[in-house]
């Protein structure tokens, strides 16, 4: 059996980046992917959804062009077939880029199911299609899949194609008249934003009393209002109890209601993929369905690491990237640990949301002595120049004891791009007085951070 320094199972962001970094460092590396390299992120997640959302943004601009003194004759509409074709082109280009990077770094790519067979002398036996190799070390990066709860009628309607997950909805070539979204989390909101822009009647049914899960309350409310202004209807505090061929049944304060639908999106969370990987053959510990890892991405089994969604910590592509680097650095004998408190997140709705660190609520729950400042985005000249809906905010959370920023929450244009600026300030624990001395280019929307800092 051929011996590899490292075998990576799963070719998504966690897996491909780990393999790339390992190959670059001179390790003899194999990466095994059962479907498409690029994983969920490139093929049916981050990239396809953002391609869709960009088309919606262009459409929104075209239909509101007169607000900016631009005359457009007639109503702009979307060519959904073209949107899907364009998305496929974007995915193809990026996936081939990843494969080229892996090749450049001398990584062996195998397109097959990867299964750990057990321990052998010198490592672990791994089956990759019709070959079995020995891995001195293993990285499990098998990702996640949608949660499908035992709701009456759900499975049957998935099979009938009435209920869609992220995979199918991002291949939809026809715009449904009525789309019901189960779950007002990130996937649900991004898809609600897209489909409402392109003409669907969208209804979201969410179990909690707010949308966007852990998002800062003030920001979450503004996002809800913005989406409502686009026509999205929200049913909050409503638990789905059944799915029928023509709609979704839910309970509101003990009473049963039904909302009709042509298509239904199921987006109530994701779970780690741990089946069919052979984890039981070497005794990898799981907790609540996900692989248990420490801050160096080590599992309980020597020389076996797990990165990305499969460890169930923070299911974001950039978390997977960083975890992959931490794992490789530890394999290479470098001291590197994963910190989860400063991972930015972005919701790519229109308007978009950028968040990092503590919210006012989470900081107070931890007993931290904090002050908060929240200012309207209209403090930014560029924001006012470029928008007509001017309801965005920027909220900062400051630790009084250390006089540093510990959280930032922004809703408005480019928030997803400039949140990294604030992340750096939070991560590097820069003193507020030093932040005040930083020069921001003018006019930029990012200047809102500087404005907010001076309001403290
Ligand atoms: P995955 O990307 O899930 O990759 C795992 C790979 O392993 C898959 O390709 C799978 O086929 C393969 N595999 C599984 N088992 C085996 C096996 N036994 N043998 C071989 N191969 C196997 N995150 C963001 O940061 N930003 C976003 O904008 C964003 N948008 C998203 C939009 C949607 C609709 C969805 C669903 C997710 C989105 N995410 C986003 C989350 C992001 O896609 C994931 O966090 C990321 O893909 C996780 O990477 P991963 O490598 O852990 O797993
Ligand atoms: P999610 O966890 O973000 O949201 C799921 C929502 O469904 C929650 O608000 C929950 O309360 C609700 N819910 C659960 N059961 C329900 C029920 N029976 N009836 C009604 N509502 C119910 O999960 P989602 O949207 O599926 O996304 C999965 C993950 O993918 C995200 O957590 C995120 O990690 C990642 N993602 C990231 C994106 C980004 O970074 N922009 C975009 C899309 C996904």
């Amino acid at each position: 059996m051929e011996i590899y320094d490292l075998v990576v199972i799963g070719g998504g962001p966690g897996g491909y980046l780990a393999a790339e970094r390992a190959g670059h460092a001179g390790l003899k590396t194999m990466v095994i992917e059962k479907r498409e390299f690029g994983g969920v992120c490139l093929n049916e997640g981050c990239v396809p959804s953002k391609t869709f959302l960009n088309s919606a943004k262009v459409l929104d601009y075209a239909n509101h062009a007169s607000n900016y003194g631009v005359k457009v004759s007639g109503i702009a509409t979307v060519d959904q077939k073209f949107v899907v074709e364009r998305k496929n082109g974007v995915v193809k280009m990026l996936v081939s880029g990843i494969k080229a990077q892996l090749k450049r770094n001398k990584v062996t790519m195998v397109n097959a199911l990867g299964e750990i067979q057990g321990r052998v002398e010198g490592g672990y036996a791994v089956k990759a299609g019709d070959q079995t190799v020995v891995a001195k070390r293993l990285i499990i990066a098998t990702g996640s899949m949608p949660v499908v709860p035992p709701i009456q009628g759900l499975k049957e309607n998935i099979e009938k194609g009435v209920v869609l997950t992220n995979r199918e909805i991002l291949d939809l070539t026809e715009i449904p008249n009525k789309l019901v979204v189960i779950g007002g989390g990130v996937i649900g909101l991004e898809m609600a934003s897209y489909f409402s822009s392109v003409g669907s009647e969208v209804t979201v049914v969410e179990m909690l009393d707010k949308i966007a899960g852990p998002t800062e309350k003030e920001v979450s409310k503004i996002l809800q209002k913005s989406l409502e202004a686009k026509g999205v209807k929200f049913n909050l505090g409503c638990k789905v109890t059944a799915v029928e061929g023509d709609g979704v049944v839910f309970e509101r304060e003990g009473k049963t209601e039904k909302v009709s639908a042509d298509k239904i999106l199921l987006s109530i969370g994701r779970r780690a993929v741990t089946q069919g990987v052979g984890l039981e053959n070497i005794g990898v510990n799981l907790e609540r369905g996900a692989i248990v890892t420490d801050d160096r991405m080590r599992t309980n089994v020597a020389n076996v690491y797990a990165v990305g969604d499969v460890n169930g910590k923070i299911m974001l592509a950039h978390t997977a990237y960083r975890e992959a680097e931490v794992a490789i650095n530890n394999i290479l004998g470098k001291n590197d640990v994963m910190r989860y408190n400063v991972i930015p997140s972005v919701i790519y709705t229109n308007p978009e949301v950028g968040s990092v660190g503590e919210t006012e609520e989470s900081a107070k729950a931890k007993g931290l002595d904090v002050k908060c400042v929240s200012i309207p985005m209209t403090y930014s000249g560029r924001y006012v120049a470029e928008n007509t809906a001017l309801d965005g905010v920027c909220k900062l959370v400051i630790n009084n004891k250390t006089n540093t920023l510990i959280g930032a929450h922004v809703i408005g244009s480019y928030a997803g791009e400039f949140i990294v600026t604030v992340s750096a300030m939070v991560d590097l624990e820069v003193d507020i007085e030093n932040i005040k001395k930083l020069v921001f280019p003018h006019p930029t929307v990012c200047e809102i951070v500087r404005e907010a800092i001076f309001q403290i």
Side-chain angles (χ1 to χ4, degrees):
M1 283 190 284
E2 198 170 353
I3 300 171
Y4 281 84
D5 294 320
L6 175 69
V7 171
V8 181
I9 306 183
Y16 74 70
L17 197 78
E20 192 184 313
R21 295 280 189 268
H24 189 74
L27 298 182
K28 186 177 172 185
T29 306
M30 172 185 276
V31 58
I32 312 167
E33 168 54 53
K34 68 176 178 186
R35 288 174 65 92
E36 302 289 341
F37 281 95
V40 168
C41 178
L42 261 86
N43 296 288
E44 53 190 79
C46 325
V47 171
S49 54
K50 270 81 255 184
T51 313
F52 268 38
L53 284 159
N54 189 58
S55 292
K57 205 184 271 181
V58 173
L59 184 72
D60 286 344
Y61 265 128
N63 281 327
H64 296 95
S66 60
N67 289 342
Y68 303 93
V70 177
K71 282 188 182 165
V72 176
S73 55
I75 299 171
T77 54
V78 84
D79 177 349
Q80 183 61 15
K81 273 195 187 131
F82 185 89
V83 171
V84 171
E85 274 163 25
R86 180 171 178 275
K87 178 268 292 180
N88 291 341
V90 170
V91 170
K92 199 171 164 198
M93 183 177 166
L94 294 174
V95 169
S96 61
I98 280 158
K99 285 185 181 166
Q101 269 295 88
L102 288 167
K103 201 171 164 198
R104 210 168 293 135
N105 288 292
K106 300 189 173 55
V107 175
T108 304
M109 285 172 267
V110 179
N111 211 179
L113 181 80
E115 203 180 0
I116 306 162
Q117 306 281 288
R119 286 165 210 268
V120 288
E121 206 188 320
Y124 303 95
V126 182
K127 193 169 181 295
D130 52 11
Q131 57 177 320
T132 301
V133 298
V134 174
K136 289 189 196 166
R137 305 170 193 90
L138 276 172
I139 292 184
I140 318 295
T142 47
S144 66
M145 60 195 288
V147 168
V148 182
I151 291 174
Q152 189 191 320
L154 188 60
K155 274 201 177 140
E156 297 89 298
N157 281 298
I158 289 179
E159 279 155 24
K160 281 186 198 155
V162 177
V163 177
L164 315 171
T165 68
N166 59 290
R167 184 175 289 168
E168 299 81 36
I169 202 161
L170 291 164
D171 271 333
L172 212 57
T173 50
E174 275 174 29
I175 305 293
N177 286 329
K178 289 180 182 177
L179 175 71
V180 173
V181 175
I182 309 179
V186 210
I187 296 180
L189 294 173
E190 288 186 353
M191 289 299 100
S193 184
Y194 176 76
F195 282 97
S196 63
S197 286
V198 300
S200 295
E201 203 178 284
V202 181
T203 306
V204 177
V205 185
E206 164 59 51
M207 205 164 63
L208 303 178
D209 61 1
K210 81 185 260 282
I211 60 163
T215 303
E216 213 284 329
K217 270 187 183 163
E218 193 181 347
V219 168
S220 155
K221 270 190 195 150
I222 295 170
L223 178 59
Q224 185 179 334
K225 275 195 184 155
S226 308
L227 292 175
E228 278 168 348
K230 285 165 71 145
V232 179
K233 293 193 187 90
F234 288 95
N235 293 290
L236 303 185
C238 296
K239 197 171 175 209
V240 173
T241 50
V243 170
E244 295 170 0
D246 60 349
V248 171
V249 181
F250 58 87
E251 267 178 21
R252 191 200 303 267
E253 292 166 355
K255 285 191 187 133
T256 302
E257 293 181 32
K258 182 175 170 180
V259 56
S260 64
D262 301 314
K263 293 283 180 198
I264 299 160
L265 171 66
L266 179 71
S267 50
I268 61 161
R270 299 180 63 82
R271 65 178 175 85
V273 172
T274 55
Q275 299 292 310
V277 193
L279 298 174
E280 58 289 350
N281 296 335
I282 53 169
V284 175
N285 274 351
L286 305 182
E287 210 174 84
R288 277 178 283 138
I291 298 181
V292 182
T293 50
D294 66 6
D295 60 3
R296 293 172 192 271
M297 312 325 302
R298 294 176 297 202
T299 68
N300 62 308
V301 181
N303 297 317
V304 180
Y305 299 74
V307 305
D309 286 8
V310 75
N311 65 36
K313 292 206 164 80
I314 298 181
M315 291 189 172
L316 293 173
H318 43 284
T319 310
Y321 284 152
R322 179 70 192 121
E323 288 177 339
E325 288 169 349
V326 168
I328 296 302
N329 283 339
N330 279 282
I331 286 171
L332 295 173
K334 296 179 189 167
N335 184 25
D336 197 3
V337 292
M338 188 69 200
R339 287 174 303 124
Y340 290 98
N341 59 330
V342 200
I343 291 181
S345 66
V346 178
I347 308 177
Y348 295 83
T349 40
N350 189 11
E352 66 189 43
V353 175
S355 315
V356 67
E358 304 291 346
T359 60
E360 182 171 4
E361 217 177 2
S362 69
K364 286 184 177 163
K366 286 179 187 166
L368 297 171
D369 172 19
V370 292
K371 61 175 163 268
C372 296
V373 58
S374 174
I375 62 166
M377 292 293 282
T378 48
Y379 277 56
S380 151
R382 188 174 184 196
Y383 179 80
V384 178
E386 292 187 0
N387 290 282
T388 49
L390 299 172
D391 51 358
V393 294
C394 168
K395 180 168 179 175
L396 302 181
V397 185
I398 297 101
N399 184 333
N400 282 326
K401 206 169 151 202
T402 55
N403 201 34
T404 55
L405 257 183
I406 57 167
H409 310 276
V410 187
I411 177 163
S413 43
Y414 310 116
E417 289 295 327
F418 70 75
I419 195 66
V420 69
T421 314
V422 201
S423 290
M425 295 171 189
V426 175
D427 207 359
L428 301 172
E429 297 173 6
V430 188
D431 189 272
I432 297 292
E433 294 314 309
N434 283 326
I435 297 178
K436 286 182 177 169
K437 293 175 193 160
L438 294 175
V439 179
F440 286 67
H442 176 76
T444 53
V445 178
C446 187
E447 278 178 293
I448 197 69
V449 178
R450 182 177 156 78
E451 290 296 338
I453 288 280
F454 276 94
Q455 306 302 315
I456 296 167

